[in-house]
Each structure stands twice: as C-alpha cells, then as structure tokens.
C-alpha cells in the first residue's frame, strides 16, 4: 500500500503519526508498513491521507477533517494480535449495522420477534443473528477449528417446533448482514447460508472458557432491554488467551460521537431524524466502535460506516483517553438503568457520601465502559444483589478498553477482574469499580469500605 501524505514534515521516519493543525510536531504512534513517493514535503502539518487499496482513492473521514486531525492505527499483519484485532473490529461493525436495522424495524414497524429467556430477560432475533454473523466471520478468517467462543445465547429455543418463523427471520437477517461484508473488505458467503449453517455458527459458541488456551467472548446484544426500547445497547467482543483479556471491541450503535447529544433522549433524537430529510448522518455521527489491545496503552474510537461509504482499516480511528478529573465532587457517575441485578440504593448513597454533584449518566449495557474510556464520565460502580453472578461477556471488552485508555477497573477489594474461571467472574469482592484514573479509584474504594457495613447488601 502507498500513502500520500499531505503537508507533512520534511523528514518522515518509519512510524505512523498523529497530525494536528494546531500542533506542528508529529507524534510517533506505531510502526507502519507503507512507502512514500517523495520526501520533499512542506513543513506545516495538517493531515495524513491514506490510500484505499480497493479503489485507489485517498480517504480521510469527514469527522477527522472537521476536527483537524486524523489518526491511523494500522498494524502490520505480523504484529501480535494485529489480524485478530482487525477482524474483530470489522465483525463488530457488521454486527452494529445488523442491529441498527433490526432495532429500527422493531421500534418503528412493530415487527421483530422478542422472546423471554428463563430469567425473563428479553432476547431478539438480533441476539442470535449477531452471534451467527460474528461466529461465521471469525471462522472464515481463522478456520472453524481454531475458533472457540463463549457467548450468551444457545440454539435451544431455536430447536423447538414453534420456532420455525423465528429461525427463518434469523437466517434472513444473517444473510442480509453478511451481504455487506465486502464493504469491510471481508469475503461474503459464495451463496446465502442455509438454516443448518446458521445453526452451526450459533452452536459453535459453546465454549465455557477457562485458564488456558484461546477463546473469544461475545455478548451479541448487551443491554437487550435498552435495545427493544430503542435506547442504548452494545455489541461486545473480546479475545482471551490463557486467562488474560488481550483485546476488546465495543460497538455502540446509538452512542453519538458528539458528547453533547447525550443530553437528548435517544427516542427524541431518533424521532427528529426520521422527520428530517437529512437523516441520522446530520446528528454529528450516530454510533461508534471502540477498541484496544492489551499493553498498547492506547484505546481508539471509530465512527460507524454509514451511507455508501466503504470501510478502510483502520478507517477514521482517533485515540480516546479517560478524563483527568480526580475529584469526586466534579466527577460524573455512570449508573445502570436496570435495577434487577444491581443495588441502586447503595450506589446512590455512596455517590452522595463522596459529594458527587453532577447528574448521573444512566445508560444500558457496556456503553458505561465506553463513556468512561471516552472521558464522558469518570465513575462506574456495580454492586450485584445477593445471588447474582457477573458473567465475563458483560465486562471483558469494556475492561481492557478502559485500562488501555488510562483508567482502572477492579473489584471493591482492589483486585483485577479474573477472566480465567470460566463463564463467570468468580471470587469477586462485593462489586466492580471502574474509574478514570488511579487517584479517583482509590478515593472511591475508601468510600465503599466506609459505607459497606451500614448497607443492606
């Protein structure tokens, strides 16, 4: 691949740079594997333009042009976990587009099958369809014999005699989703997948995890209740190797790139978009994908692909970092919307005791992890009710993204979360605390210890 830089420094070393209009310096990021046609460039710095190898046209995102910077996170395919990260990010992008279509159909047309699981939580065709789609993409990239997945859904409900209509909808949704694979430089199926192939892809997600080996962890639709209500939800994919999360990808289809839009209810924003000719693209970027690789000390965010645009890895990625606020009085607290599995009374009382003044950011799903990684909030606490066991797919991707963005995630005793014990987070001390930095995290842990004995948990 050849890259044509625009207005770069006179000498360009073999590293990839972050260019900014207000900063005349070039900051090295990671190794890149490109060649330049000339090294005689003007001294000023504005942008880097990468060449799309598919159509040989320069590509710089509208968002990056508007903000005056562009960042590439391109990795050489031989870099450790480089291919895994690329395929995972692309798979989550495909899944996000699938969910957007299903949610719109569910909300505005009154269609879509919503089932109830044994714990009365909802599951939709999007859950099974995303699981089948991501499983198929990973298997195509690495070989089905090399792919092991821990995921939330199984095929038991789809095997019942009365599930024929539901299964047919899932097969149609999966094939419709995979038809967009070429947009992401992925090879689509030569022919539409048959029902047996879709069921095989879903049933491939039968790993139980553990301390050794490599497996993927997938939550196809985290926050299904938010999904069916037209609110926030996430698609979460992580890779675990020998008990350690080595990369995580978090797709947030309704989480706007612009923080200011968080002040508007999703339903109101969506309603207005349907009443305008310009559509969702006018709302400053609807949806994003965040990702990080363990040990990189960097986390990245991309806008979702929309319209007729093609995805170019690494597309319009920009770095995200946690907030620098370490005073609880100034911090914003992320709070789960769901009350069934967590104690709002304890977390609200704790927030009051440390002097939190800002209104809490109440969102469904792992979007809370995204909010902290992006600097939109500083604190997330979850203290489960007695008897509830935290599942690894609800946390794996979000934890590594926050950590690489500069934040801290532990249990209430200060221990890192252990993803090596199977499908559940075993040995969790009281609850989970995620903060934008070690100083703030320490203050919140002390407050938890001071308040715990007086709680009813």
């Amino acid at each position: 691949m050849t890259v044509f830089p625009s207005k770069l420094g006179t000498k360009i070393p073999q590293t990839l740079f972050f260019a900014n209009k207000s900063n005349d310096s070039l900051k090295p990021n990671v190794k890149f594997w490109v060649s330049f046609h000339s090294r005689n460039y003007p001294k000023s710095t504005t942008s880097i333009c990468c060449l799309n190898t598919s159509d040989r046209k320069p590509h710089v995102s509208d968002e990056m042009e508007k903000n005056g910077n562009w960042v590439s996170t391109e990795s050489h395919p031989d870099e450790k976990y480089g291919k895994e990260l690329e395929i995972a990010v692309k798979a989550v992008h495909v899944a996000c587009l699938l969910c957007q279509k299903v949610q719109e159909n569910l909300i505005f047309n009154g269609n879509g099958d919503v089932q109830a699981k044994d714990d009365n939580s909802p599951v939709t065709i999007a859950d099974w369809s995303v699981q089948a789609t991501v499983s198929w993409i990973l298997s195509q990239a690495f070989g089905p014999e090399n792919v092991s997945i821990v995921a939330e859904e199984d095929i038991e409900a789809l095997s019942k005699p009365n599930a024929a209509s539901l299964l047919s909808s899932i097969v149609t949704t999966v094939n419709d989703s995979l038809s967009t694979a070429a947009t992401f430089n992925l090879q689509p199926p030569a022919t539409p997948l048959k029902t047996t192939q879709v069921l095989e892809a879903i049933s491939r997600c039968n790993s139980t995890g553990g301390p050794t080996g490599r497996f993927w962890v997938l939550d196809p639709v985290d926050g299904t209740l938010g999904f069916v209500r037209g609110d926030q939800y996430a698609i979460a994919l992580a890779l675990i190797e020998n008990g350690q999360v080595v990369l995580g990808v978090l797709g947030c289809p309704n989480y706007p790139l612009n923080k200011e839009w968080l002040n508007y209810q999703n339903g109101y924003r969506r309603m207005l978009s349907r009443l305008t000719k310009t559509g969702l693209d006018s709302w400053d970027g609807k949806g994003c994908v965040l990702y990080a690789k363990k040990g990189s000390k960097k986390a990245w965010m991309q806008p979702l692909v929309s319209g007729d645009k093609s995805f170019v890895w690494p597309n319009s990625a920009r770095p995200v970092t946690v907030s620098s606020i370490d005073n609880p009085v100034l911090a914003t607290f992320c709070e789960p919307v769901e009350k069934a599995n967590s104690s709002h009374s304890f977390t609200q009382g704790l927030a009051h005791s440390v002097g939190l003044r800002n209104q809490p950011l109440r969102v469904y799903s792992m979007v809370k992890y995204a909010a902290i990684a992006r600097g939109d909030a500083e604190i997330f606490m979850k203290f489960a009710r007695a008897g509830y066991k935290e599942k690894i797919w609800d946390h794996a991707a979000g934890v590594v993204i926050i950590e690489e963005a500069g934040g801290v995630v532990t249990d209430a005793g200060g221990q890192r979360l252990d993803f090596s014990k199977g499908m559940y987070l075993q040995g969790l001390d009281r609850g989970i605390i995620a903060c934008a930095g070690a100083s703030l995290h320490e203050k919140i842990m002390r407050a938890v210890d001071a308040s715990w004995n007086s709680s009813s948990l």
Side-chain angles (χ1 to χ4, degrees):
M1 181 181 72
T2 302
V3 170
F4 296 91
S6 171
K7 299 181 181 179
L8 293 178
T10 55
K11 293 184 179 180
I12 305 177
Q14 294 298 307
T15 47
L16 197 60
F17 295 100
F18 166 56
N20 189 294
K21 287 182 178 179
S22 63
N23 186 350
D24 213 34
S25 64
L26 293 175
K27 303 176 182 179
N29 180 9
V30 295
K31 290 182 179 179
F32 70 140
W33 306 83
V34 298
S35 61
F36 294 101
H37 282 210
S38 171
R39 293 185 182 274
N40 299 318
Y41 300 106
K43 190 174 181 180
S44 62
T45 300
T46 54
S47 64
I48 297 175
C49 180
C50 77
L51 194 66
N52 180 346
T53 55
S54 62
D55 60 12
R56 316 305 296 175
K57 294 179 181 178
H59 172 81
V60 177
S61 78
D62 296 338
E63 181 70 14
M64 296 303 100
E65 281 192 337
K66 181 177 70 175
N67 291 341
N69 53 57
W70 185 88
V71 179
S72 179
T73 59
E74 183 169 3
S75 301
H76 189 270
D78 292 336
E79 182 181 322
K80 192 171 186 180
Y81 306 120
K83 182 178 180 181
E84 289 88 341
L85 181 63
E86 177 182 349
I87 297 300
V89 170
K90 290 178 177 180
V92 170
H93 269 280
V94 173
C96 285
L97 295 184
L98 182 162
C99 286
Q100 284 181 324
K101 291 180 181 179
V102 173
Q103 188 184 54
E104 182 169 344
N105 187 55
L106 182 67
I107 299 300
F108 294 109
N109 298 327
N111 296 326
D113 295 276
V114 180
Q115 307 291 313
K117 293 192 282 189
D118 292 340
D119 60 359
N120 291 323
S121 61
V123 58
T124 72
I125 62 170
D127 293 81
W128 285 297
S129 299
V130 166
Q131 196 157 301
T133 298
V134 172
S135 172
W136 189 88
I137 291 173
L138 293 177
S139 296
Q140 289 297 112
F142 304 108
E145 69 280 3
N146 299 317
V147 173
S148 178
I149 305 173
V150 177
E152 186 168 11
E153 311 304 337
D154 56 39
I155 62 170
E156 182 179 355
L158 302 179
S159 303
K160 297 177 180 178
N162 61 351
S165 175
L166 173 63
L167 184 55
S168 176
S169 297
I170 292 169
V171 172
T172 299
T173 302
V174 170
N175 282 310
D176 181 58
S177 175
L178 290 175
S179 70
T180 69
T183 300
F184 302 91
N185 199 26
L186 296 169
Q187 186 66 39
T191 58
L193 299 186
K194 298 178 181 178
T195 299
T196 54
Q197 292 173 297
V198 171
L199 287 174
E200 180 184 356
I202 297 173
S203 62
R204 194 175 294 126
C205 306
N206 61 355
S207 172
T208 57
T212 60
R214 167 187 284 206
F215 56 90
W216 297 87
V217 178
L218 171 66
D219 194 337
V221 180
D222 183 47
T224 306
L225 190 59
F227 178 79
V228 299
R229 292 176 176 176
D231 211 310
Q232 298 287 352
Y233 62 98
I235 297 99
L237 181 63
L239 178 61
I240 294 180
E241 193 165 73
N242 296 327
Q244 300 292 316
V245 183
V246 297
L247 65 86
V249 185
L250 201 55
C252 307
N254 284 343
Y255 196 30
L257 293 174
N258 190 333
K259 178 183 177 182
E260 281 67 38
W261 284 121
L262 291 175
N263 296 327
Y264 294 86
Q265 292 294 328
N266 283 308
Y268 180 67
R269 180 164 57 87
R270 188 172 52 249
M271 178 186 71
L272 287 182
S273 70
R274 286 181 63 86
L275 295 176
T276 63
K277 295 181 179 180
T278 51
L280 288 170
D281 288 342
S282 65
W283 293 85
D284 199 22
K286 183 197 177 195
C288 59
V289 173
L290 290 87
Y291 57 91
K293 188 167 59 172
K294 181 179 174 60
S296 67
K297 300 190 186 313
K298 294 181 179 68
W300 304 90
M301 179 175 70
Q302 298 173 322
L304 289 185
V305 172
S306 60
D308 58 355
K309 296 179 182 178
S310 294
F311 180 93
V312 183
W313 175 252
N315 206 16
S316 338
R318 68 185 184 197
V320 293
T321 58
V322 297
S323 164
S324 61
I325 292 174
D326 64 358
N327 184 350
V329 175
L330 303 176
T332 297
F333 166 51
C334 265
E335 185 176 59
V337 176
E338 306 93 333
K339 295 183 179 180
N341 299 325
S342 61
S343 172
H344 280 203
S345 59
F346 177 74
T347 53
Q348 287 170 351
L350 187 62
H352 178 75
S353 70
V354 298
L356 286 172
R357 297 175 180 174
N358 293 333
Q359 283 289 106
L361 180 61
R362 301 189 68 186
V363 290
Y364 293 92
S365 78
M366 265 190 277
V367 171
K368 293 180 281 291
Y369 280 107
I372 293 179
R374 282 178 27 163
D376 296 340
E378 287 75 36
I379 303 168
F380 164 52
M381 296 178 287
K382 184 178 181 184
F383 295 92
R385 295 185 181 277
Y388 180 80
K389 294 194 294 184
E390 296 286 352
K391 306 169 188 70
I392 61 173
W393 54 71
D394 286 328
H395 301 281
V399 168
V400 70
I401 291 171
I402 284 185
E403 289 178 343
E404 298 306 319
V408 179
V409 186
T410 71
D411 65 16
Q415 298 299 310
R416 298 188 66 187
L417 306 190
D418 187 351
F419 294 94
S420 70
K421 303 297 185 183
M423 299 171 64
Y424 299 97
L425 292 175
Q426 305 287 359
L428 202 62
D429 185 346
R430 292 169 288 180
I432 296 171
I433 301 173
C435 290
S439 175
L440 181 60
H441 184 266
E442 181 63 30
K443 294 170 185 175
I444 297 301
M445 283 212 309
R446 288 200 300 266
V448 168
D449 285 338
S451 302
W452 187 260
N453 290 335
S454 62
S455 75
S456 57
L457 283 176

